[in-house]
Amino acid sequence: MKETIITLLENAVDTLKQQGILPADASPAIKVDPARDKAHGDYATNLALMLAKPAAKKPRELAEALIAALPESDAIDKVEIAGPGFINFFAATDAAAQVVRQVLDAGDTYGRSLEGRGQKVQVEFVSANPTGPLHVGHGRGAAIGDCICRLLEATGFDVTREFYYNDAGAQIANLALSVQARAKKLTPEDDAWPTDGYRGNYIIEVANDYLAGETVHADDRHVTAKGDPDDLDAIRDFAVAWLRREQDLDLKAFGVTFDVYFLESSLYREGKVEEAVERLIEKGHTYEQDGALWLRTTDFGDDKDRVMRKSDGSYTYFLPDVAYHLNKWQRGFKTVINEQGADHHSTVTRVRAGLQALEVGIPKGWPDYVLHQMVMVTRSGVEVKLSKRAGSYVTVRDLIDEVGRDATRFFLAARRADSQLTFDIDLARSQSNDNPVYYVQYAHARVCSMLRKAKAEQLDFELDLAMVSLGQLKEDQEKAVMNRLARFPEAVAHAAASREPQQIAQYLLDLAAEFHSCYNAVKVMVDDDELRNARLALGLATRQVLRNGLDLLGVSAPEEM
């Protein structure tokens, strides 16, 4: 319907140009939005206000001219002027109801598009260090990142999901030392315990399995423990594999998979970090000072220059990030999205500056970043801070065990990434309309219940009869549901373009609210066969869109609750 109204307005603008009312070079970006108040119709546009100045007319006067120039259309019941010159459109019932047919015809593909035209996109997300179970912050990144991938795929992009993990550096060294200490029966209370050692109970599990000679099968590696508590290299390899397996299990429980696992260590092993350094030196963007090698990142928008190689010969953390992103570019990804925690904010400018300094054709502002804020978990209004197994944080597995995968995913994806999130365990467990995921899933289950009731009363749904009876859907509540259904494709496209999965969560809440209101106000099981089947068809279309939207969030659509 929105596209129909835009086309009608485009024709009206052309007519006014021919009449000399509008200048010939007028080419407005016509914006049509759903009306906020049902009394003001179904859709509205501010086109008359936009064109009033070039037309040298008052907005209401130009609105009258635009309405007079609109072509005849069976899709529009009436058009009115409101306020200073807004134009409100009331959709004809028959035309509005055709969305039911469109949804049922398209099925699982309704809302999907080919807008991306197969363009390659890489999305890197989670990318947790293999030093412990995934915490709730990783869970938020997993939910948002996976939903972004689903949205991009739904709009025609060729998406590669990538997990980058830091299997090199100080944190991995601390992990190995911690496991070795546990293998030698030390505890955090002992003086010989590593200064920055990990204290969670999982370290005990790793040490015990290492001493027992266990074999670990992770998605990207298979390692058998040597059992020697003095072999720190063997302990390191086993511990990393053990925790990779644990993270794999966390992600699988969360419904998240990856196409590529990229190891930081490979950048060093294959000389990619050194190659990046040599190119930066060659391009003249470095200098030496106090025995360290610096990059002039201030030439590319940073607030100060950054050390690349310290005086002891080791690299700072941002340099392998530059080498890693150069590798992404060389693999042919012109669009790259990094979903990371807000603590990575300071690295964005540095990495982009380093990539610009390489002078290999990478555009300014590449890659894209989606940064999520912290998550606070509460129970009975009190913050939950500790996980017995992890020792110092709430894990993703803790949440899944507490409230289930659906609630965990929905809650973590349903807020803007850049806003802090309070995860209320009590709310997520509740079976009430206050629980957003329950409210949406219940709308889907309610349609299924409605269809079961029709079958039990031997009033089975008749598709052909429903399709010729859609014009009977005339109640305001029915029109509200149909208008909401019609907005789903646009909602998907906009959420994908803006990398904001929470827009889909909000859309589903709005659709569920419209449907529950309609269900409570309009009787479905009426004696009139045509009206009953038309209303059942509206329910089926609603169920389909709810299912399609929940799938974009990685959440199930139950038939009973």
Side-chain angles (χ1 to χ4, degrees):
M1 179 60 66
K2 179 177 177 178
E3 290 73 18
T4 298
I5 295 172
I6 290 174
T7 299
L8 293 173
L9 288 169
E10 288 173 343
N11 289 332
V13 168
D14 289 340
T15 298
L16 295 188
K17 286 181 182 180
Q18 295 170 10
Q19 295 174 353
I21 296 175
L22 285 174
D25 60 353
S27 54
I30 299 176
K31 187 178 180 182
V32 174
D33 295 309
R36 295 180 181 178
D37 187 339
K38 294 176 183 178
H40 295 161
D42 300 302
Y43 293 91
T45 182
N46 64 348
L47 183 61
L49 283 77
M50 291 173 54
L51 292 176
K53 186 173 182 179
K57 290 183 177 293
K58 294 180 180 179
R60 286 188 68 92
E61 184 181 353
L62 183 58
E64 292 173 355
L66 284 166
I67 292 173
L70 287 171
E72 291 290 329
S73 173
D74 293 335
I76 304 301
D77 186 38
K78 64 178 178 177
V79 185
E80 294 180 347
I81 302 174
F86 291 99
I87 302 175
N88 295 332
F89 294 84
F90 294 76
T93 300
D94 286 351
Q98 289 311 306
V99 69
V100 175
R101 182 193 299 273
Q102 294 167 11
V103 172
L104 296 181
D105 284 347
D108 292 344
T109 65
Y110 183 72
R112 304 180 78 89
S113 71
L114 299 176
E115 189 172 328
R117 302 182 184 279
Q119 178 184 337
K120 289 175 62 177
V121 177
Q122 187 227 51
V123 182
E124 180 207 333
F125 59 109
V126 183
S127 295
N129 295 331
T131 55
L134 298 179
H135 57 63
V136 66
H138 295 135
R140 191 176 193 190
I144 294 171
D146 186 57
C147 290
I148 288 173
C149 292
R150 290 168 182 258
L151 284 164
L152 291 170
E153 288 170 338
T155 48
F157 291 87
D158 179 6
V159 179
T160 296
R161 294 164 164 83
E162 185 149 318
F163 189 121
Y164 173 78
Y165 65 90
N166 306 85
D167 60 336
Q171 291 179 318
I172 299 300
N174 288 333
L175 171 67
L177 290 171
S178 304
V179 175
Q180 184 182 53
R182 284 294 190 183
K184 292 184 176 183
K185 309 306 179 186
L186 297 176
T187 70
E189 289 72 35
D190 293 318
D191 292 339
W193 184 262
T195 303
D196 296 316
Y198 293 96
R199 296 166 177 257
N201 287 350
Y202 67 92
I203 296 295
I204 301 174
E205 298 176 48
V206 178
N208 290 340
D209 284 352
Y210 176 77
L211 292 173
E214 297 287 342
T215 298
V216 172
H217 301 283
D219 273 358
D220 63 319
R221 58 184 62 194
H222 308 281
V223 177
T224 298
K226 288 186 177 181
D228 180 359
D230 293 317
D231 192 336
L232 192 60
D233 289 337
I235 291 173
R236 180 188 299 107
D237 291 343
F238 181 80
V240 168
W242 198 97
L243 286 162
R244 281 298 311 127
R245 180 185 63 186
E246 289 300 292
Q247 292 182 356
D248 291 342
L249 293 173
D250 289 342
L251 291 167
K252 286 174 182 175
F254 208 40
V256 174
T257 60
F258 288 89
D259 303 304
V260 176
Y261 290 94
F262 195 100
L263 282 64
E264 179 189 3
S265 59
S266 70
L267 295 170
Y268 294 96
R269 186 173 60 252
E270 298 172 11
K272 299 299 183 183
V273 174
E274 193 58 41
E275 286 177 15
V277 172
E278 291 173 359
R279 183 166 184 88
L280 291 169
I281 294 173
E282 174 192 334
K283 293 301 178 181
H285 297 297
T286 65
Y287 62 92
E288 292 196 25
Q289 181 178 305
D290 300 327
L293 183 65
W294 295 68
L295 179 65
R296 290 192 180 89
T297 52
T298 50
D299 291 346
F300 303 95
D302 202 358
D303 59 345
K304 62 181 180 180
D305 294 341
R306 305 290 174 175
V307 174
M308 294 194 309
R309 188 169 58 210
K310 293 182 282 188
S311 56
D312 63 4
S314 63
Y315 294 113
T316 55
Y317 67 90
F318 99 93
L319 186 61
D321 282 350
V322 172
Y324 172 46
H325 284 83
L326 173 60
N327 176 272
K328 292 183 182 186
W329 179 262
Q330 292 170 337
R331 280 186 276 158
F333 293 111
K334 304 308 178 188
T335 300
V336 167
I337 302 166
N338 292 344
E339 203 295 331
Q340 297 173 322
D343 56 330
H344 288 80
H345 184 272
S346 62
T347 70
V348 174
T349 302
R350 301 175 201 177
V351 170
R352 287 175 171 169
L355 292 170
Q356 290 297 297
L358 289 169
E359 298 184 18
V360 294
I362 295 176
K364 188 177 181 179
W366 187 96
D368 295 336
Y369 284 86
V370 175
L371 302 180
H372 66 262
Q373 289 288 343
M374 63 178 288
V375 181
M376 181 174 70
V377 181
T378 64
R379 189 201 306 273
S380 302
V382 178
E383 183 177 0
V384 178
K385 292 186 176 180
L386 301 181
S387 163
K388 181 178 179 181
R389 186 161 184 269
S392 60
Y393 56 84
V394 178
T395 69
V396 174
R397 196 82 63 88
D398 291 333
L399 285 185
I400 295 173
D401 290 345
E402 285 274 0
V403 305
R405 186 176 101 179
D406 284 348
T408 303
R409 286 192 63 124
F410 194 98
F411 271 60
L412 291 177
R415 291 285 302 275
R416 283 181 59 95
D418 60 3
S419 64
Q420 293 191 356
L421 171 64
T422 297
F423 193 110
D424 186 337
I425 288 177
D426 299 317
L427 178 61
R429 287 172 59 91
S430 70
Q431 295 187 355
S432 71
N433 289 342
D434 292 330
N435 180 349
V437 66
Y438 178 87
Y439 188 66
V440 173
Q441 289 181 317
Y442 181 55
H444 183 274
R446 200 170 213 178
V447 178
C448 297
S449 175
M450 188 170 67
L451 293 167
R452 288 194 297 271
K453 181 179 179 181
K455 187 173 183 179
E457 296 179 8
Q458 297 184 335
L459 298 171
D460 289 356
F461 175 65
E462 298 179 43
L463 178 61
D464 291 341
L465 180 58
M467 292 301 97
V468 298
S469 307
L470 294 176
Q472 296 204 33
L473 300 174
K474 298 178 180 179
E475 299 296 332
D476 287 344
Q477 295 86 348
E478 292 168 333
K479 289 190 69 175
V481 173
M482 292 185 292
N483 285 336
R484 188 72 61 183
L485 295 176
R487 297 172 202 167
F488 183 60
E490 180 185 7
V492 175
H494 193 273
S498 59
R499 295 39 162 147
E500 294 186 344
Q502 85 278 355
Q503 293 185 18
I504 298 300
Q506 185 58 56
Y507 171 88
L508 292 173
L509 286 167
D510 291 340
L511 176 58
E514 301 281 13
F515 174 74
H516 288 310
S517 175
C518 183
Y519 182 90
N520 292 328
V522 177
K523 185 177 180 181
V524 176
M525 295 304 156
V526 295
D527 293 332
D528 186 325
D529 289 345
E530 293 183 354
L531 181 57
R532 183 181 66 255
N533 277 278
R535 287 176 174 170
L536 286 171
L538 179 59
L540 278 168
T542 303
R543 182 180 72 170
Q544 183 68 64
V545 174
L546 287 169
R547 181 188 303 154
N548 292 0
L550 286 168
D551 183 66
L552 292 173
L553 300 179
V555 176
S556 70
E559 296 187 2
E560 293 184 82
M561 294 185 71

